[in-house]
Amino acid sequence: MNIKQIILTTGGLLITGIVEAQSAHPNVILIYTDDHGSLDVNCFGAKDLYTPHMDALAAQGVRFTQFYGAPVSSVSRASLLTGQFAKRAGLTVNAGGGNGLPVEKETIAERMKSNGYRTALIGKWHLGDRIEQGPNAQGFDYFWGIRGGCVDNYSHFYYWGGPNRHDLWQNEREIYSPGNFFAAENLKEIKKFAVEDKGKPFFIYWAVNIPHYPLQPSEKWLDYYADLPNPRRMYAAFVSTFDDYLGELRAFLAAEGLAENTIIVFQSDNGHSMEERTFRGGGYSGPYRSGKFSMFEGGIRVPAIICWSKELPQGEVRDQIAMNIDWFPTLVDLCGLSAEGMEVDGKSLVELIKDGSRPSPHEVLHFDFGDQWMVRFGNWKLIANPEDVTPKQRIVQKGLFLSNLEKNNTESTNLVEQYPDMVKKLQAMRKAFEDSLEK
């Protein structure tokens, strides 16, 4: 560990102390929550939630109100790590059965690693089951977590759909930690990795599996939310369980002298789940329609925050459109790294983060999931074969659905017949995007 002696003069007194020399490049912790509803943080509008540490992150950073992920886990994570729209990234459905993120795609971890960063993925991968398409093959020096989509938090077995399958790994070696809560173990691994070499910057992707089912919150939060009806009670208790771990992480960074030089990005992968395994709901999306699996706003609009109080504004809000693909170029920009050869659809948000009067860097956004695709242009949205999700059912509507979020953010009315010229314009944008994939 590199250590230097410092001498400070304060009020005529001579003070000596020890300071650990840190890299000029900032550390980065990218936190990705799982099935976390569009507005499910107190500062985003869920006033029945107690989330002091997420709120503090927003108070010391910049909060986005019109930020997008994807309808499901793998699709969202593929875009996050590559900085590319899902179809260009090569994964438009949940990974499994050998299907995963193409290994030839450059990830943000590979870019960070090639620029001298130590890189780690702690938590959930869900971008391919095979070892050769795992985190260690995609730029992460260290991996501790699950390869699939979900596990029981204490046994680390995947129970649904059979056969029962254990899923806990350290790099490419299966390990066992029965009885230990997954998120708590995540935090232990993050702490160890962060301080291994303070002279070299780290990039940690903490893909926490909360509030994804199975909902297994702390007892204290079940007691705290005792008056909330289920399924909201279980969901709220799990969100607050994660908030505790976030608070512990931030306290650790401060104690280790890492807080000032660490960028924290926080985002959910997709909207809240209404699956049977999560008690048919519990999440909150306010006026936004639907949830996980859908391209209506409740499925893809997610909470997002960036915090680096040393360099970025504090307590500010951005209503401009942005997306998970933007974190790759934004972090490369903030960390002062080379962007040469980077093939991303994302745009750096640095100017927008620093100056709220700046417009969104995006004119058009593209989304894909299964048979659904979507174009977002200004306030206009065109969805093909939209899926609507309710606590009782999932309904696929064949054809096109046009909405304007400025006129009606609930997306309750299909405007296809009223605005045929806009439909044609957005279809042409979609075709141009598809044509660009062939080049």
Side-chain angles (χ1 to χ4, degrees):
M1 184 175 295
N2 296 320
I3 296 178
K4 62 182 180 181
Q5 190 83 19
I6 65 169
I7 300 178
L8 303 175
T9 303
T10 305
L13 297 176
L14 192 65
I15 304 171
T16 62
I18 300 293
V19 175
E20 294 171 356
Q22 296 184 25
S23 166
H25 293 291
N27 304 306
V28 177
I29 300 179
L30 174 52
I31 302 171
Y32 226 50
T33 52
D34 201 350
D35 290 3
H36 191 169
S38 304
L39 302 174
D40 271 321
V41 184
N42 186 278
C43 66
F44 276 85
K47 298 307 179 186
D48 60 343
L49 291 183
Y50 183 65
T51 55
H53 301 296
M54 283 182 269
D55 295 342
L57 199 65
Q60 296 171 19
V62 175
R63 173 170 64 88
F64 288 85
T65 65
Q66 199 168 185
F67 205 94
Y68 290 96
V72 293
S73 173
S74 297
V75 179
S76 184
R77 291 156 205 272
S79 287
L80 170 75
L81 293 184
T82 64
Q84 297 181 338
F85 294 128
K87 195 154 190 176
R88 196 186 312 278
L91 192 61
T92 61
V93 296
N94 266 337
N99 180 47
L101 179 67
V103 293
E104 65 270 17
K105 291 292 180 180
E106 183 191 30
T107 68
I108 186 173
E110 288 170 311
R111 177 67 53 157
M112 291 287 194
K113 184 175 180 176
S114 68
N115 281 275
Y117 273 72
R118 299 182 295 116
T119 59
L121 164 57
I122 308 298
K124 170 178 169 177
W125 175 237
H126 206 197
L127 287 173
D129 296 334
R130 295 177 298 176
I131 295 294
E132 59 268 26
Q133 60 186 177
N136 297 117
Q138 307 256 25
F140 290 99
D141 295 317
Y142 184 67
F143 167 54
W144 194 98
I146 63 174
R147 305 179 70 85
C150 66
V151 290
D152 173 84
N153 286 285
Y154 293 96
S155 70
H156 317 124
F157 271 78
Y158 174 84
Y159 287 116
W160 303 275
N164 293 347
R165 184 175 73 249
H166 180 262
D167 185 11
L168 186 63
W169 300 79
Q170 183 179 48
N171 295 318
E172 297 177 353
R173 178 175 66 92
E174 188 173 15
I175 59 173
Y176 294 84
S177 186
N180 293 314
F181 187 66
F182 187 64
E185 297 301 293
N186 284 185
L187 201 53
K188 290 179 184 177
E189 294 295 324
I190 290 170
K191 290 177 178 180
K192 285 191 293 185
F193 187 84
V195 298
E196 279 178 359
D197 181 0
K198 284 190 177 181
K200 196 173 182 183
F202 61 74
F203 169 73
I204 297 174
Y205 169 36
W206 183 19
V208 66
N209 64 328
I210 297 175
H212 195 289
Y213 57 78
L215 303 183
Q216 295 171 301
S218 300
E219 184 178 2
K220 77 169 188 177
W221 291 114
L222 287 172
D223 292 341
Y224 179 88
Y225 291 111
D227 293 335
L228 276 185
N230 276 321
R232 183 63 173 171
R233 177 192 177 214
M234 293 291 294
Y235 178 94
F238 212 20
V239 170
S240 289
T241 297
F242 161 72
D243 192 75
D244 275 349
Y245 289 111
L246 175 62
E248 186 178 339
L249 171 63
R250 298 187 72 222
F252 162 79
L253 294 174
E256 292 292 331
L258 295 168
E260 185 174 293
N261 201 41
T262 299
I263 301 167
I264 298 180
V265 171
F266 164 85
Q267 189 204 318
S268 172
D269 59 351
N270 48 252
H272 69 284
S273 171
M274 287 179 264
E275 297 165 87
E276 183 179 8
R277 295 165 189 158
T278 194
F279 307 107
R280 296 293 184 191
Y284 173 61
S285 57
Y288 306 125
R289 182 174 177 178
S290 203
K292 180 181 177 180
F293 302 117
S294 176
M295 286 191 184
F296 290 119
E297 290 293 284
I300 57 175
R301 187 184 291 221
V302 293
I305 300 167
I306 184 169
C307 178
W308 188 22
S309 55
K310 173 185 172 185
E311 299 289 341
L312 300 178
Q314 297 188 46
E316 296 191 11
V317 178
R318 302 290 180 262
D319 298 319
Q320 294 89 334
I321 298 167
M323 189 176 176
N324 62 351
I325 58 174
D326 298 327
W327 293 131
F328 191 153
T330 298
L331 291 171
V332 166
D333 195 350
L334 285 174
C335 295
L337 309 182
S338 169
E340 184 178 356
M342 204 164 67
E343 297 180 358
V344 297
D345 293 304
K347 309 290 185 183
S348 174
L349 300 174
V350 173
E351 290 187 358
L352 174 58
I353 291 167
K354 291 184 175 180
D355 181 357
S357 68
R358 296 273 187 168
S360 167
H362 291 286
E363 183 180 26
V364 184
L365 293 178
H366 295 279
F367 299 78
D368 278 272
F369 169 50
D371 292 332
Q372 296 179 81
W373 58 258
M374 185 192 110
V375 177
R376 172 80 193 257
F377 172 66
N379 288 309
W380 293 97
K381 281 179 62 176
L382 183 67
I383 310 174
N385 307 312
E387 183 167 336
D388 196 12
V389 181
T390 72
K392 294 183 178 180
Q393 58 187 339
R394 292 169 58 182
I395 304 170
V396 177
Q397 306 169 31
K398 293 296 183 181
L400 300 174
F401 190 102
L402 180 70
S403 59
N404 184 295
L405 296 178
E406 184 178 36
K407 298 176 186 293
N408 178 11
N409 66 2
T410 66
E411 299 177 279
S412 58
T413 303
N414 190 349
L415 303 177
V416 164
E417 294 185 2
Q418 295 182 45
Y419 297 94
D421 290 343
M422 182 55 66
V423 172
K424 291 178 182 178
K425 184 173 184 176
L426 270 61
Q427 285 178 309
M429 291 177 178
R430 172 68 184 186
K431 185 178 186 306
F433 169 63
E434 291 181 336
D435 290 344
S436 75
L437 301 176
E438 299 174 2
K439 297 178 181 179

